[in-house]
Amino acid sequence: MSRHTTSSSRRVPRTHLAPLAAAVALLGAAMGAQAQIISAGPPAVIGPTPSQNSSGPVTANGGANLVLGTLDPVTTNNSNNSLGASAHGNEHQLAPGATEALSITSQAGAVNPVVTATQLVTGAVTANTNNTTVGIDTTGAANALANAGSRVGATANVSGNEVSTQASGNSDVATMAISAPTLVLATPAIAGTGQVTASNISANTAVRLLGASIQPRSGSWTDLTVNVSGNTADTSASANQSKTGIAVTTPADLTISTTGGLMSGVTQVQAGTTRAISAVDTLGTQIQGTLTSPSPSNSSFNTSGNQATASAQSNQQSNQIAMDAGSVQLDGTLPAFANTVQAASGSTQAQSVVGMLGVSNASTNSSGNQYIVNGNTAGASASGNTGNTGVSVTADSSITGPAAMGPEAIVTVGNTQSFAGAGVSAHTKVTQLGSSMAPSILGNSSGDTQTISGNKAYASAQGSDATNTANLHASGSIDNTGAAITSTQSHASGNVSAITEVTALGSRALFSQGGSQTVTGNSLQATAQSTRASNAISITGGSLNFTPAAIVSTQTHTVGNTSATVDVAQVGSVRTTLGPLSVNTFTRDQQTVSGNTLAAVASSQTASNQTAINGTSLDNAGALIANTQTHVSGNVSATVANLNQVSPAPAPSPTMAMVGVSGLSLSGGQSIVSGNNANADANINLAANTAALKSDTSMNGAGSGAILGNVQDAQAGNATSLVQVDFGVSGLRSGGHEAIVSDNSANASASQNQAINTISLQAGTNLAAPTLQLGSDQKASGNTSATVVTNLLTGTGVSNSGATTVSNNQASTSARANVANNLLALDSTTASGGLAGVLSNVQANVGQVNANTTMTIGVQGALDTGAVTVSGNAVDALGAGNAALNSINAAAGTAFNGNSASLLNTQTNNGAITATAALNAPAGQPMVSGGATTSNLLNNTVTATAYGNNAVNQINIVALPGQLVASTNLTSTQINTGAVTAGASGNVSSGGVSTGNNISGNRISAVAVGNNSVSSMTLGVK
């Protein structure tokens, strides 16, 4: 065994003893079984077994200026440079040219192959890249002489540059590849990784300029082309990273005997702080200008495909076992086992700050220029534990387990993740994303084209995230072989927070005429999840005999809040202010703000459990899913608003974000604000469970069928979502200016527990599955609220304003404590018999539920304004204590005999339920006021619906006439003791219309129901 030391050894500080003791225990548990197997077998084939211990500080400092100070009259190029810093505590890499740590080829039977690694870091690891400038910078007195004179037709290119800072505690590759024409494994093959980081890991990047900063001084500056594209400023910090696994390949027969087996294990422990910070002042192009300097005209400025990101990950791993052979014989009951254990007890932080991302032209005048800001990204991501663990078996012919009627061979995946740290936070802050020109009070923009599209700012924070897979795929039969996944996740402490903060996204021009501004397809996202698991089993082959699939997923959240926030002031054609007043003016401009997305999503625990069994025939092929989610305490919130961040300040106070066109005056031209979306979604427990079995012919046997159990318990903690956003146009309109505000949406949803549970059995001929059970149990104790406040703005007509259209906009809220969608579906082409199907749904809520939606529309103007249409706008609010859709659907091509189906629904609500929806006009005014030529207020709707309990229960069974014999039972019990209130209001009115006034088709309704149940049972014939 080799020992590699990256720093001199020293006594471990007392503060590190506690986490190290826990780490040793975890490592011992993970590696002990391996040692026992090794000692029992013949002499082992030992691959690399590094043992690394880094106890001293490891520091890397970088930073440089890769700058051209002169803009050449013809071509200036600064591209494909790379700089940065990287620091690593322990790093185990593959040998040059190697694809695996251990490769064994052309041996009919490998003897005890082993590859393992253990790594320990107790000293700080820090990487810094500071005071960095990359690109073209002609500013400053030193560059004045070299940049004097005209630049006509000059081209500048800054592309493909990379500034990268990396810091890692432990990184390891412990993989094994075994290949032979024919292979018999009679002894275990073992891959293992054990990593502990008990110190701080930090990566920091500071960039002044990544792009071009150009200062025209004299002469003519026309027909320029400035391209800043494909540049990156990336910062990453990781405590533990590993790639572990075993790959076995043979074109003929693969046999794993009862004494053999494949085992791949990973244990990771993090106990310090993992932090990544990226700060970029300018990413793009800046044109410096004064009142006397020349202004570029008829030029093209392009900032595309650049990114500034920060990533902090405490534990990250990939752990995979793969078998690929002509045929596979598995003689033992545990032929393959991939197991992962991750524990994070420190803090994980990622922050990305960008001052200007795009193009800024500070010249006094801008004429005939084209500004393109496309496909740029600013983001931060942080995670405590993340991993991908899997086992796959692929055969060209068949997969066969032990002898028939005995225990099956089960390929197994195990995952255990725990987070007990100070928290996980991701924060992205961008001051300006887009283009800005002629910002001075004397500035003017004429005939400019601005396109801001496909840009993204995001923040993502996760406590623990696991992806677990088990796959059996054969072209022929699969016999006596199954798959199992066990996933256990716990969140014991610490908040999880994601914030995306943007001051302005879009185009800015102080005085613009005859130009166009297009802001489309941009997205601002914030996602926070304390715990997430994706578990999937796939078994696919010819005839399947005794092929069970089982998933057991358990999640527990004890303490800690989870929050996602999109904090944005303006999206679109953004305003310049002088004090509190906007001073922008637009004359004959075409403005389009469309397809932009603001989304905040927060959840405490999320689980996706999927089993899929497909074959030409199924005999004793069964699926089991057991999902359990327990949330003990902690609030979950999602917010989209302008939070007025002031430093220092008390807690931010949400105000309205603006999506659209903002200015002092708009004369002529057209403003379109369409198809934009703001969404906030807050949920405590989320689950999607699906067991699907499909046979091309028959499905038979006592072991066939499916059992699905879902248990969700939200014991305390509130779920809150909030959207506050304005859509439309603000400013004084004249000269026939047309405003269109359409198809925008603001949505907020919140829940304590949500589940989609599905069992689906489909047979090409006969179907006989005696075991068929689906059960869901949900309990909610905290409060649930969803709020939307939105204004649809159309400016103020002052003289001869054009037409105004406000149509098909939507504002909605959905607040429901417990939500379940349960489906049991059976379909056989010929006959179905011997079935005993049970669907049970139980829900209980004691918390308050509040859904509140407010939309305000105001079209104001003086005499001589154009036609006004306000139509098809919808305001909805839905509040419910418990909501369920329960369905049993069975269809047989011929006979449905000897079967039974029972549907049981029980709901109890003791909390107060409130739903309020309002479509308002401005205070003290009608919705349409002033001198509109015509006014059409058509088909607008306001709906508020509140339920204590709401259920739809369905049993549908269909067969041929005379061939349907079934015992069915449908029972629904609902108890409500909470107050249930719904309120809807509207002010759809007009005043001062000169020639035509039409108000029709508008609907305002409120419905409050304590218990609502729609149950149906259909026994029909085809």
Side-chain angles (χ1 to χ4, degrees), residues 205 233-235 276-280 283 307-311 349-355 357 377-381 425-431 457-459 499-501:
T205 301
D234 294 333
T235 306
I277 299 176
S278 174
V280 181
L283 179 51
Q307 72 175 33
T309 60
S311 172
Q349 307 165 14
Q351 184 178 49
S352 178
V353 179
V354 181
L357 175 53
T377 300
S381 60
S425 63
H427 186 184
T428 296
K429 181 176 181 179
V430 182
T431 302
Y458 71 89
I499 301 174
T500 297
E501 180 183 351

mmCIF file of all heavy atoms in Angstrom, residues 205 233-235 276-280 283 307-311 349-355 357 377-381 425-431 457-459 499-501:
data_model
loop_
_atom_site.group_PDB
_atom_site.id
_atom_site.type_symbol
_atom_site.label_atom_id
_atom_site.label_comp_id
_atom_site.label_asym_id
_atom_site.label_seq_id
_atom_site.Cartn_x
_atom_site.Cartn_y
_atom_site.Cartn_z
ATOM 1 N N THR A 205 -12.524 34.335 -7.300
ATOM 2 C CA THR A 205 -12.133 34.935 -8.571
ATOM 3 C C THR A 205 -12.571 36.385 -8.591
ATOM 4 O O THR A 205 -13.718 36.692 -8.256
ATOM 5 C CB THR A 205 -12.773 34.191 -9.751
ATOM 6 O OG1 THR A 205 -12.372 32.825 -9.734
ATOM 7 C CG2 THR A 205 -12.362 34.816 -11.076
ATOM 8 N N ALA A 233 -15.755 32.933 -16.948
ATOM 9 C CA ALA A 233 -15.127 33.182 -15.650
ATOM 10 C C ALA A 233 -15.801 32.233 -14.666
ATOM 11 O O ALA A 233 -16.922 32.485 -14.219
ATOM 12 C CB ALA A 233 -15.305 34.631 -15.225
ATOM 13 N N ASP A 234 -15.122 31.128 -14.371
ATOM 14 C CA ASP A 234 -15.727 30.058 -13.581
ATOM 15 C C ASP A 234 -14.936 29.840 -12.301
ATOM 16 O O ASP A 234 -13.697 29.791 -12.318
ATOM 17 C CB ASP A 234 -15.768 28.749 -14.375
ATOM 18 C CG ASP A 234 -16.695 28.834 -15.569
ATOM 19 O OD1 ASP A 234 -17.642 29.637 -15.511
ATOM 20 O OD2 ASP A 234 -16.474 28.102 -16.546
ATOM 21 N N THR A 235 -15.673 29.667 -11.219
ATOM 22 C CA THR A 235 -15.068 29.407 -9.918
ATOM 23 C C THR A 235 -15.722 28.172 -9.328
ATOM 24 O O THR A 235 -16.955 28.074 -9.293
ATOM 25 C CB THR A 235 -15.272 30.607 -8.973
ATOM 26 O OG1 THR A 235 -14.795 31.785 -9.604
ATOM 27 C CG2 THR A 235 -14.518 30.391 -7.678
ATOM 28 N N ALA A 276 -17.298 29.151 -2.870
ATOM 29 C CA ALA A 276 -16.845 29.624 -4.188
ATOM 30 C C ALA A 276 -17.434 31.000 -4.434
ATOM 31 O O ALA A 276 -18.652 31.181 -4.339
ATOM 32 C CB ALA A 276 -17.263 28.661 -5.290
ATOM 33 N N ILE A 277 -16.578 31.962 -4.749
ATOM 34 C CA ILE A 277 -17.016 33.332 -4.993
ATOM 35 C C ILE A 277 -16.410 33.816 -6.302
ATOM 36 O O ILE A 277 -15.200 33.744 -6.513
ATOM 37 C CB ILE A 277 -16.592 34.271 -3.847
ATOM 38 C CG1 ILE A 277 -17.230 33.827 -2.521
ATOM 39 C CG2 ILE A 277 -16.985 35.705 -4.159
ATOM 40 C CD1 ILE A 277 -16.799 34.640 -1.334
ATOM 41 N N SER A 278 -17.275 34.321 -7.166
ATOM 42 C CA SER A 278 -16.852 34.871 -8.449
ATOM 43 C C SER A 278 -17.356 36.300 -8.562
ATOM 44 O O SER A 278 -18.544 36.556 -8.343
ATOM 45 C CB SER A 278 -17.410 34.034 -9.606
ATOM 46 O OG SER A 278 -17.122 34.637 -10.858
ATOM 47 N N ALA A 279 -16.457 37.231 -8.887
ATOM 48 C CA ALA A 279 -16.830 38.633 -9.044
ATOM 49 C C ALA A 279 -16.235 39.165 -10.346
ATOM 50 O O ALA A 279 -15.019 39.137 -10.537
ATOM 51 C CB ALA A 279 -16.333 39.459 -7.862
ATOM 52 N N VAL A 280 -17.111 39.620 -11.244
ATOM 53 C CA VAL A 280 -16.690 40.162 -12.540
ATOM 54 C C VAL A 280 -17.316 41.544 -12.689
ATOM 55 O O VAL A 280 -18.547 41.670 -12.684
ATOM 56 C CB VAL A 280 -17.115 39.254 -13.707
ATOM 57 C CG1 VAL A 280 -16.633 39.834 -15.030
ATOM 58 C CG2 VAL A 280 -16.582 37.838 -13.504
ATOM 59 N N LEU A 283 -18.358 42.068 -18.081
ATOM 60 C CA LEU A 283 -18.267 40.940 -19.001
ATOM 61 C C LEU A 283 -19.005 41.352 -20.261
ATOM 62 O O LEU A 283 -20.230 41.272 -20.340
ATOM 63 C CB LEU A 283 -18.883 39.684 -18.381
ATOM 64 C CG LEU A 283 -18.891 38.397 -19.224
ATOM 65 C CD1 LEU A 283 -17.507 38.092 -19.772
ATOM 66 C CD2 LEU A 283 -19.424 37.240 -18.409
ATOM 67 N N GLN A 307 -20.124 33.417 -19.939
ATOM 68 C CA GLN A 307 -20.680 32.969 -18.678
ATOM 69 C C GLN A 307 -19.763 33.325 -17.511
ATOM 70 O O GLN A 307 -18.542 33.352 -17.636
ATOM 71 C CB GLN A 307 -20.947 31.471 -18.672
ATOM 72 C CG GLN A 307 -19.726 30.580 -18.617
ATOM 73 C CD GLN A 307 -20.108 29.115 -18.491
ATOM 74 O OE1 GLN A 307 -21.127 28.672 -19.005
ATOM 75 N NE2 GLN A 307 -19.282 28.344 -17.800
ATOM 76 N N ALA A 308 -20.406 33.614 -16.382
ATOM 77 C CA ALA A 308 -19.716 33.842 -15.116
ATOM 78 C C ALA A 308 -20.446 33.027 -14.063
ATOM 79 O O ALA A 308 -21.610 33.309 -13.757
ATOM 80 C CB ALA A 308 -19.712 35.318 -14.755
ATOM 81 N N THR A 309 -19.791 32.014 -13.530
ATOM 82 C CA THR A 309 -20.470 31.091 -12.631
ATOM 83 C C THR A 309 -19.606 30.784 -11.410
ATOM 84 O O THR A 309 -18.380 30.894 -11.446
ATOM 85 C CB THR A 309 -20.809 29.765 -13.338
ATOM 86 O OG1 THR A 309 -19.603 29.149 -13.785
ATOM 87 C CG2 THR A 309 -21.729 30.005 -14.522
ATOM 88 N N ALA A 310 -20.282 30.370 -10.365
ATOM 89 C CA ALA A 310 -19.628 29.888 -9.154
ATOM 90 C C ALA A 310 -20.320 28.617 -8.712
ATOM 91 O O ALA A 310 -21.557 28.540 -8.700
ATOM 92 C CB ALA A 310 -19.683 30.939 -8.046
ATOM 93 N N SER A 311 -19.524 27.617 -8.353
ATOM 94 C CA SER A 311 -20.078 26.333 -7.947
ATOM 95 C C SER A 311 -19.363 25.851 -6.694
ATOM 96 O O SER A 311 -18.127 25.778 -6.667
ATOM 97 C CB SER A 311 -19.914 25.301 -9.066
ATOM 98 O OG SER A 311 -20.288 24.006 -8.632
ATOM 99 N N GLN A 349 -21.331 27.404 0.273
ATOM 100 C CA GLN A 349 -21.717 28.724 -0.198
ATOM 101 C C GLN A 349 -21.177 28.971 -1.601
ATOM 102 O O GLN A 349 -20.014 28.695 -1.880
ATOM 103 C CB GLN A 349 -21.168 29.815 0.738
ATOM 104 C CG GLN A 349 -21.517 29.633 2.196
ATOM 105 C CD GLN A 349 -20.683 30.492 3.108
ATOM 106 O OE1 GLN A 349 -20.016 31.421 2.660
ATOM 107 N NE2 GLN A 349 -20.690 30.184 4.396
ATOM 108 N N ALA A 350 -22.034 29.517 -2.463
ATOM 109 C CA ALA A 350 -21.618 29.926 -3.803
ATOM 110 C C ALA A 350 -22.195 31.304 -4.094
ATOM 111 O O ALA A 350 -23.374 31.559 -3.827
ATOM 112 C CB ALA A 350 -22.091 28.929 -4.856
ATOM 113 N N GLN A 351 -21.354 32.164 -4.642
ATOM 114 C CA GLN A 351 -21.802 33.523 -4.955
ATOM 115 C C GLN A 351 -21.175 33.975 -6.269
ATOM 116 O O GLN A 351 -19.970 33.853 -6.470
ATOM 117 C CB GLN A 351 -21.407 34.488 -3.839
ATOM 118 C CG GLN A 351 -21.924 35.910 -4.038
ATOM 119 C CD GLN A 351 -21.541 36.819 -2.889
ATOM 120 O OE1 GLN A 351 -20.386 36.863 -2.479
ATOM 121 N NE2 GLN A 351 -22.513 37.548 -2.359
ATOM 122 N N SER A 352 -22.025 34.494 -7.153
ATOM 123 C CA SER A 352 -21.576 35.042 -8.428
ATOM 124 C C SER A 352 -22.101 36.463 -8.566
ATOM 125 O O SER A 352 -23.313 36.681 -8.525
ATOM 126 C CB SER A 352 -22.075 34.181 -9.599
ATOM 127 O OG SER A 352 -21.679 34.727 -10.843
ATOM 128 N N VAL A 353 -21.189 37.420 -8.705
ATOM 129 C CA VAL A 353 -21.554 38.827 -8.793
ATOM 130 C C VAL A 353 -20.994 39.395 -10.103
ATOM 131 O O VAL A 353 -19.804 39.294 -10.373
ATOM 132 C CB VAL A 353 -20.998 39.623 -7.595
ATOM 133 C CG1 VAL A 353 -21.378 41.096 -7.717
ATOM 134 C CG2 VAL A 353 -21.503 39.042 -6.284
ATOM 135 N N VAL A 354 -21.879 40.000 -10.898
ATOM 136 C CA VAL A 354 -21.484 40.601 -12.171
ATOM 137 C C VAL A 354 -22.020 42.025 -12.196
ATOM 138 O O VAL A 354 -23.216 42.247 -11.967
ATOM 139 C CB VAL A 354 -22.021 39.816 -13.377
ATOM 140 C CG1 VAL A 354 -21.554 40.462 -14.679
ATOM 141 C CG2 VAL A 354 -21.570 38.364 -13.315
ATOM 142 N N GLY A 355 -21.137 42.975 -12.495
ATOM 143 C CA GLY A 355 -21.588 44.361 -12.582
ATOM 144 C C GLY A 355 -22.362 44.624 -13.860
ATOM 145 O O GLY A 355 -23.550 44.969 -13.832
ATOM 146 N N LEU A 357 -23.140 42.843 -17.677
ATOM 147 C CA LEU A 357 -23.038 41.721 -18.605
ATOM 148 C C LEU A 357 -23.786 42.112 -19.867
ATOM 149 O O LEU A 357 -25.013 42.151 -19.884
ATOM 150 C CB LEU A 357 -23.640 40.457 -17.991
ATOM 151 C CG LEU A 357 -23.733 39.201 -18.884
ATOM 152 C CD1 LEU A 357 -22.395 38.863 -19.506
ATOM 153 C CD2 LEU A 357 -24.270 38.017 -18.084
ATOM 154 N N THR A 377 -24.765 33.760 -19.549
ATOM 155 C CA THR A 377 -25.195 33.118 -18.313
ATOM 156 C C THR A 377 -24.417 33.657 -17.127
ATOM 157 O O THR A 377 -23.195 33.799 -17.180
ATOM 158 C CB THR A 377 -24.978 31.590 -18.387
ATOM 159 O OG1 THR A 377 -25.724 31.055 -19.475
ATOM 160 C CG2 THR A 377 -25.423 30.916 -17.100
ATOM 161 N N ALA A 378 -25.152 33.951 -16.074
ATOM 162 C CA ALA A 378 -24.553 34.233 -14.771
ATOM 163 C C ALA A 378 -25.242 33.341 -13.760
ATOM 164 O O ALA A 378 -26.478 33.293 -13.715
ATOM 165 C CB ALA A 378 -24.712 35.701 -14.390
ATOM 166 N N GLY A 379 -24.459 32.626 -12.955
ATOM 167 C CA GLY A 379 -25.121 31.691 -12.064
ATOM 168 C C GLY A 379 -24.270 31.244 -10.901
ATOM 169 O O GLY A 379 -23.040 31.351 -10.915
ATOM 170 N N ALA A 380 -24.959 30.725 -9.894
ATOM 171 C CA ALA A 380 -24.315 30.159 -8.716
ATOM 172 C C ALA A 380 -25.047 28.896 -8.322
ATOM 173 O O ALA A 380 -26.284 28.862 -8.319
ATOM 174 C CB ALA A 380 -24.312 31.154 -7.561
ATOM 175 N N SER A 381 -24.305 27.855 -7.993
ATOM 176 C CA SER A 381 -24.909 26.608 -7.546
ATOM 177 C C SER A 381 -24.135 26.084 -6.344
ATOM 178 O O SER A 381 -22.905 26.143 -6.308
ATOM 179 C CB SER A 381 -24.919 25.563 -8.665
ATOM 180 O OG SER A 381 -23.610 25.274 -9.105
ATOM 181 N N SER A 425 -26.115 27.905 0.591
ATOM 182 C CA SER A 425 -26.613 29.145 0.001
ATOM 183 C C SER A 425 -25.989 29.366 -1.368
ATOM 184 O O SER A 425 -24.800 29.119 -1.571
ATOM 185 C CB SER A 425 -26.312 30.349 0.903
ATOM 186 O OG SER A 425 -24.916 30.539 1.047
ATOM 187 N N ALA A 426 -26.823 29.843 -2.297
ATOM 188 C CA ALA A 426 -26.377 30.234 -3.635
ATOM 189 C C ALA A 426 -26.966 31.598 -3.938
ATOM 190 O O ALA A 426 -28.173 31.807 -3.791
ATOM 191 C CB ALA A 426 -26.813 29.214 -4.684
ATOM 192 N N HIS A 427 -26.105 32.536 -4.365
ATOM 193 C CA HIS A 427 -26.550 33.902 -4.596
ATOM 194 C C HIS A 427 -25.913 34.416 -5.882
ATOM 195 O O HIS A 427 -24.689 34.423 -6.015
ATOM 196 C CB HIS A 427 -26.147 34.793 -3.418
ATOM 197 C CG HIS A 427 -26.696 36.182 -3.499
ATOM 198 N ND1 HIS A 427 -26.390 37.159 -2.579
ATOM 199 C CD2 HIS A 427 -27.550 36.785 -4.382
ATOM 200 C CE1 HIS A 427 -27.006 38.283 -2.881
ATOM 201 N NE2 HIS A 427 -27.715 38.072 -3.994
ATOM 202 N N THR A 428 -26.757 34.825 -6.815
ATOM 203 C CA THR A 428 -26.293 35.449 -8.058
ATOM 204 C C THR A 428 -26.816 36.873 -8.106
ATOM 205 O O THR A 428 -28.010 37.103 -7.928
ATOM 206 C CB THR A 428 -26.791 34.670 -9.290
ATOM 207 O OG1 THR A 428 -26.210 33.364 -9.274
ATOM 208 C CG2 THR A 428 -26.404 35.372 -10.577
ATOM 209 N N LYS A 429 -25.905 37.808 -8.359
ATOM 210 C CA LYS A 429 -26.285 39.218 -8.408
ATOM 211 C C LYS A 429 -25.724 39.851 -9.674
ATOM 212 O O LYS A 429 -24.523 39.820 -9.921
ATOM 213 C CB LYS A 429 -25.762 39.963 -7.177
ATOM 214 C CG LYS A 429 -26.149 41.437 -7.143
ATOM 215 C CD LYS A 429 -25.684 42.103 -5.867
ATOM 216 C CE LYS A 429 -26.096 43.580 -5.829
ATOM 217 N NZ LYS A 429 -25.664 44.244 -4.569
ATOM 218 N N VAL A 430 -26.621 40.436 -10.478
ATOM 219 C CA VAL A 430 -26.225 41.121 -11.714
ATOM 220 C C VAL A 430 -26.854 42.508 -11.683
ATOM 221 O O VAL A 430 -28.073 42.646 -11.536
ATOM 222 C CB VAL A 430 -26.694 40.358 -12.967
ATOM 223 C CG1 VAL A 430 -26.217 41.074 -14.227
ATOM 224 C CG2 VAL A 430 -26.188 38.918 -12.940
ATOM 225 N N THR A 431 -26.029 43.522 -11.850
ATOM 226 C CA THR A 431 -26.559 44.884 -11.853
ATOM 227 C C THR A 431 -27.221 45.215 -13.175
ATOM 228 O O THR A 431 -28.347 45.721 -13.222
ATOM 229 C CB THR A 431 -25.433 45.893 -11.543
ATOM 230 O OG1 THR A 431 -24.854 45.559 -10.276
ATOM 231 C CG2 THR A 431 -25.985 47.307 -11.492
ATOM 232 N N ALA A 457 -29.907 34.073 -15.770
ATOM 233 C CA ALA A 457 -29.291 34.231 -14.462
ATOM 234 C C ALA A 457 -29.974 33.258 -13.515
ATOM 235 O O ALA A 457 -31.205 33.198 -13.469
ATOM 236 C CB ALA A 457 -29.415 35.664 -13.956
ATOM 237 N N TYR A 458 -29.179 32.498 -12.771
ATOM 238 C CA TYR A 458 -29.782 31.457 -11.946
ATOM 239 C C TYR A 458 -29.030 31.309 -10.629
ATOM 240 O O TYR A 458 -27.858 31.667 -10.498
ATOM 241 C CB TYR A 458 -29.784 30.111 -12.673
ATOM 242 C CG TYR A 458 -28.403 29.491 -12.815
ATOM 243 C CD1 TYR A 458 -27.891 28.647 -11.832
ATOM 244 C CD2 TYR A 458 -27.612 29.758 -13.924
ATOM 245 C CE1 TYR A 458 -26.635 28.094 -11.948
ATOM 246 C CE2 TYR A 458 -26.349 29.213 -14.051
ATOM 247 C CZ TYR A 458 -25.860 28.376 -13.065
ATOM 248 O OH TYR A 458 -24.602 27.840 -13.173
ATOM 249 N N ALA A 459 -29.735 30.761 -9.661
ATOM 250 C CA ALA A 459 -29.144 30.332 -8.402
ATOM 251 C C ALA A 459 -29.790 29.017 -8.016
ATOM 252 O O ALA A 459 -31.015 28.880 -8.076
ATOM 253 C CB ALA A 459 -29.344 31.373 -7.302
ATOM 254 N N ILE A 499 -30.868 32.745 -4.170
ATOM 255 C CA ILE A 499 -31.298 34.102 -4.501
ATOM 256 C C ILE A 499 -30.706 34.496 -5.846
ATOM 257 O O ILE A 499 -29.489 34.427 -6.051
ATOM 258 C CB ILE A 499 -30.841 35.122 -3.437
ATOM 259 C CG1 ILE A 499 -31.409 34.766 -2.062
ATOM 260 C CG2 ILE A 499 -31.262 36.528 -3.829
ATOM 261 C CD1 ILE A 499 -30.882 35.638 -0.945
ATOM 262 N N THR A 500 -31.576 34.896 -6.768
ATOM 263 C CA THR A 500 -31.151 35.507 -8.027
ATOM 264 C C THR A 500 -31.591 36.959 -8.000
ATOM 265 O O THR A 500 -32.797 37.244 -7.950
ATOM 266 C CB THR A 500 -31.756 34.785 -9.235
ATOM 267 O OG1 THR A 500 -31.270 33.434 -9.263
ATOM 268 C CG2 THR A 500 -31.367 35.475 -10.531
ATOM 269 N N GLU A 501 -30.634 37.856 -8.018
ATOM 270 C CA GLU A 501 -30.893 39.281 -7.836
ATOM 271 C C GLU A 501 -30.400 40.043 -9.073
ATOM 272 O O GLU A 501 -29.208 40.040 -9.374
ATOM 273 C CB GLU A 501 -30.173 39.778 -6.583
ATOM 274 C CG GLU A 501 -30.366 41.238 -6.268
ATOM 275 C CD GLU A 501 -29.554 41.664 -5.057
ATOM 276 O OE1 GLU A 501 -28.988 40.788 -4.362
ATOM 277 O OE2 GLU A 501 -29.482 42.884 -4.807
#
